[in-house]
Amino acid sequence: MKNTFSEKLNKFLLKDETFILLIMGAAAAIFAGTFMYIKFGTGAFNDVSIVAMLKEGMDGGSYSAAAGFAAGFLIARILEGPLVGILDIGGSLMTGVGIGIPALLLSMNFNLPFNNFFFALITGAIIGLLLGLIIIAIRKFVPKGVAVGGTSIMMGAGNSAGRYLGPLIIIAAAQYNVYAGLGALIGSAIFYKLEKEITGGAIIGAMILGAIFL
């Protein structure tokens, strides 16, 4: 009996090679986004506060803060991912590949990946390939049954802290524009009613009303 398309797709997606391809694509896009930010001032896939570290290096010439903070995230998430079976895209790719590695390259005056969009895509894809191979290798060599309970603390830390950002996002949106602030307030109220984290509602609400009235 022939496998259905859905079965073939599921089989393909569960392959190690597919994981590596997905990481390569994501890393290429994120690294290229950083290229866009460096060249045109917009496009970085990251939190404003973390991008500010890269901006500080671009303005002052010292990339130590961005490189140290973001590269540390990258290393931690690469070690964590194979153990828990979940790769934190924010910490590993958006922060590590998008900010940490570019900061390291710029600190060494290696500017080739940031001179051309095509080079940026290729560099990101190569970084993604290396990360994918490392993660799969760790996954293969970790003994079965190894205790990984401690990693749940790492996995939950960001989510626990993030819930307190909602009020700050509302205030920041209101300072930026009254419509964005109103949207953030409405969005957070809806999410609170739905028993969801208000941070997401504040961001979505600010984006919707901001896009309509700005």
Side-chain angles (χ1 to χ4, degrees):
M1 186 178 66
K2 292 184 177 180
N3 293 330
T4 64
F5 174 77
S6 178
E7 291 173 338
K8 291 180 180 179
L9 179 62
N10 287 336
K11 186 177 180 180
F12 171 74
L13 291 175
L14 291 174
K15 291 182 177 180
D16 293 342
E17 295 83 356
T18 304
F19 171 79
I20 295 174
L21 288 175
L22 292 174
I23 293 296
M24 288 177 64
I30 291 170
F31 197 91
T34 303
F35 162 85
M36 296 290 290
Y37 177 78
I38 292 173
K39 288 295 183 182
F40 306 108
T42 184
F45 293 88
N46 225 298
D47 295 337
V48 174
S49 59
I50 300 176
V51 176
M53 295 182 185
L54 180 63
K55 177 64 174 175
E56 181 181 353
M58 293 166 56
D59 294 338
S62 176
Y63 294 93
S64 57
F69 176 82
F73 254 98
L74 177 61
I75 295 172
R77 296 314 187 192
I78 288 177
L79 295 175
E80 173 195 28
L83 297 178
V84 299
I86 300 173
L87 182 64
D88 186 339
I89 300 299
S92 61
L93 299 185
M94 292 170 61
T95 300
V97 175
I99 302 297
I101 294 178
L104 286 173
L105 295 176
L106 291 170
S107 68
M108 296 184 292
N109 293 321
F110 187 70
N111 298 316
L112 179 61
F114 309 104
N115 292 332
N116 183 280
F117 184 77
F118 177 75
F119 286 155
L121 283 174
I122 294 298
T123 303
I126 293 173
I127 293 171
L129 173 63
L130 295 175
L131 292 180
L133 291 174
I134 292 171
I135 291 171
I136 292 298
I138 295 174
R139 186 73 171 174
K140 295 291 186 182
F141 289 106
V142 169
K144 292 184 178 181
V146 65
V148 295
T151 56
S152 63
I153 298 174
M154 295 174 62
M155 293 295 293
N159 295 332
S160 298
R163 68 186 61 179
Y164 299 105
L165 294 177
L168 296 179
I169 292 174
I170 296 173
I171 294 173
Q175 290 178 333
Y176 174 73
N177 182 275
V178 63
Y179 296 111
L182 183 60
L185 184 62
I186 295 173
S188 61
I190 294 174
F191 270 51
Y192 177 79
K193 185 67 175 179
L194 296 174
E195 297 183 352
K196 304 293 184 181
E197 297 294 345
I198 67 172
T199 303
I203 294 173
I204 295 174
M207 290 175 61
I208 293 175
L209 284 192
I212 293 174
F213 293 102
L214 294 182

